[in-house]
């Protein structure tokens, strides 16, 4: 077992940015073709990540099995975020599997309503890794309640799939950065050139 240490619980979910940041921090832990490394590879790496995240509380004991559960939850959420950005490969059966998984694990991490004079927030009443997963689902639930859940997306650039908040006025953002958008445009341009080159002359 590995112990992660962190500080006090996070801010009120009425503060939108930290809530979104919690979700994005969790989903942006995958290894990808852009050179990012896997942060939930085992209990040690999972604990190291938790130690840098204040909102999950301190003294969390995690195992390799907890890291595997974290990867499952994260990957299901990433599939939903890819669907938000219109990624075709994430739709159909992959999306159905992700939604079934989230319906199945949701009851494992119940949430409690915390009412104070300053406002109301959702929090996980559990300890250990279940508290971590409950906190992530609380952040998802809170932000979804704002009506902007579909604005949390995963980049459609296949080597990337980095999670981001779409801040465009019409909610039409597809990529986490202009760099990723340029890569996709360049690949499409090269594909058109190849197709043109292989077409027979009239």
């Amino acid at each position: 077992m590995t112990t992660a240490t962190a500080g006090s619980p996070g801010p009120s979910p009425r503060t939108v940015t930290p809530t979104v940041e919690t979700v994005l921090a969790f989903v942006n832990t995958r290894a990808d073709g852009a050179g990012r490394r896997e942060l939930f590879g085992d209990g040690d790496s999972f604990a190291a990540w938790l130690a840098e995240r204040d909102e999950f509380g301190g003294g969390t004991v995690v195992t390799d099995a907890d890291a595997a559960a974290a990867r499952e939850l994260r990957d299901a959420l990433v599939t939903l975020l890819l669907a938000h950005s219109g990624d075709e490969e994430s739709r159909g059966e992959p999306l159905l599997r992700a939604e079934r998984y989230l319906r199945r694990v949701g009851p494992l991490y119940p949430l409690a309503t915390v009412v104070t004079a300053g406002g109301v927030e959702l929090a996980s009443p559990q300890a250990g890794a279940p508290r971590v997963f409950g906190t992530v689902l609380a952040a998802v639930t809170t932000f979804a309640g704002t009506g902007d859940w579909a604005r949390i997306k995963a980049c459609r650039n296949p080597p990337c799939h980095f999670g981001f908040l779409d801040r465009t006025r019409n909610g039409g953002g597809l990529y986490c950065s202009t760099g990723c958008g340029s890569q996709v445009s360049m690949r499409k341009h090269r594909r058109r050139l190849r197709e043109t080159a292989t077409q027979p002359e009239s």
Side-chain angles (χ1 to χ4, degrees):
M1 292 186 178
T2 308
T3 301
T5 59
S8 60
S12 166
R14 298 305 299 171
T15 305
V16 173
T17 300
T19 302
V20 172
E21 205 270 340
T22 298
V23 179
L24 293 179
F26 186 77
V27 299
N28 288 333
T29 54
R30 300 164 59 251
D32 61 23
R36 300 183 185 93
R37 61 187 180 87
E38 172 62 63
L39 299 182
F40 293 167
D42 55 23
D44 288 337
S45 58
F46 187 25
W49 181 82
L50 286 172
E52 298 177 353
R53 307 297 314 173
D54 291 340
E55 63 266 49
F56 298 111
T60 304
V61 177
V62 293
T63 65
D64 288 349
D66 294 327
R71 292 194 299 272
E72 286 187 304
L73 176 59
R74 175 198 65 195
D75 293 348
L77 290 172
V78 169
T79 299
L80 267 62
L81 303 192
L82 282 169
H84 286 173
S85 63
D87 179 72
E88 292 297 331
E89 293 185 5
S90 68
R91 294 185 178 275
E93 186 57 30
L95 181 58
L96 290 175
R97 283 199 304 269
E99 290 176 338
R100 284 196 297 266
Y101 170 82
L102 291 167
R103 281 196 295 270
R104 187 172 71 252
V105 301
L108 300 178
Y109 312 118
L111 303 176
T113 303
V114 180
V115 182
T116 67
V120 179
E121 63 182 2
L122 292 174
S124 173
Q126 298 177 290
R131 173 186 170 90
V132 175
F133 305 144
T135 299
V136 172
L137 292 177
V140 168
T141 302
T142 299
F143 188 68
T146 68
D148 286 330
W149 170 230
R151 283 185 175 269
I152 304 184
K153 302 178 178 182
C155 182
R156 279 180 59 173
N157 187 15
C160 181
H161 290 172
F162 194 73
F164 69 99
L165 177 63
D166 180 3
R167 298 182 183 275
T168 62
R169 181 171 298 181
N170 65 355
L174 303 178
Y175 308 107
C176 67
S177 67
T178 55
C180 276
S182 297
Q183 288 179 23
V184 172
S185 296
M186 182 59 67
R187 284 197 296 269
K188 289 181 179 178
H189 175 67
R190 289 172 178 168
R191 185 166 58 248
R192 286 194 298 269
L193 291 178
R194 288 194 300 269
E195 291 171 352
T196 301
T198 56
Q199 288 178 358
E201 294 184 2
S202 57

